Amino acid sequence: MSVLVRLIKSSVGKKYLMAITGIGLFIFVIGHVVGNLQVFLGPEAINRYGHFLQTTPEILWPARIGLLAFVLIHIGAGIALAIENRQARAQQYEVKRIVDASKASQTMLWSGCVIFSFVAFHLAHYTLMTVHPEFRNLHDAEGRHDIYRMLVFGFQNAAVSVFYIISIGLLCWHLSHGVGAMFQSLGLKNEAYAKRIDCFAAIAAVVIFLGYVSIPISVMAGVIQ
């Protein structure tokens, strides 16, 4: 146990924690956008999907608890590493590291803070429905929670849609560096595969961004109504 504690407290251990939780969060981000894109199939598809999740607590609650734990561990490890890096800046090698770092890597902590704020608002808006309590009264003809109309009403607010698009942009900016960093932290990124991994990270970030922002843009454009 003491060996495990020492590993977690070390910089290497924190990077492992960030990589492992990052993988879990990356998978969730992909799964979430795939689920949300069902809105383009119409009310029946997205409402059926939402009803399945809401009526399957043995899946929903472990997923929520696990996701929350991953987010807290990821943020905690990231802050701890940022503090360690700041304390090490007096060393000469740090100067070169900062110069060589990508813009995404330099802003990881700040973009992470904005993303966390967005996630908190997004949960309050669509999951807890404290921003718009009237969303709780939206039901379709089958008596299911009408997620389709909730998304339409929510994204018809231009301020909400713009904030959502900007936040998703920062999330994907975060992913463009984070995905490559995950492989590097786990020792899977070498010279032979570095460019391919970075290319995959960039493509994945762009695809995820387009998938998420297509929904508010389509609502504001009247494609989804």
Side-chain angles (χ1 to χ4, degrees), residues 14 70 84 92 97 118 138 142 146 166 169 173 190 198:
K14 294 184 184 72
F70 272 37
E84 289 181 6
Q92 293 181 354
R97 191 192 67 83
F118 159 69
L138 294 176
E142 302 293 328
D146 199 336
I166 292 173
W173 179 257
N190 53 40
D198 290 340

Side-chain angles (χ1 to χ4, degrees), residues 122-186:
H122 193 58
L123 288 173
H125 194 201
Y126 284 132
T127 302
L128 301 176
M129 289 173 279
T130 55
V131 177
H132 292 287
E134 64 272 19
F135 283 177
R136 298 179 183 138
N137 299 321
L138 294 176
H139 297 90
D140 63 10
E142 302 293 328
R144 301 169 299 196
H145 186 217
D146 199 336
I147 295 175
Y148 185 90
R149 280 200 296 161
M150 183 180 70
L151 288 174
V152 171
F153 291 158
F155 286 130
Q156 282 176 340
N157 184 317
V160 170
S161 290
V162 170
F163 178 55
Y164 182 89
I165 292 169
I166 292 173
S167 299
I168 291 298
L170 285 173
L171 169 64
C172 293
W173 179 257
H174 194 86
L175 287 175
S176 69
H177 169 74
V179 172
M182 289 188 302
F183 283 93
Q184 186 170 356
S185 295
L186 295 173

Side-chain angles (χ1 to χ4, degrees), residues 181-200:
M182 289 188 302
F183 283 93
Q184 186 170 356
S185 295
L186 295 173
L188 301 176
K189 187 177 181 181
N190 53 40
E191 293 184 2
Y193 296 102
K195 290 185 178 179
R196 293 180 183 179
I197 291 173
D198 290 340
C199 183
F200 167 76

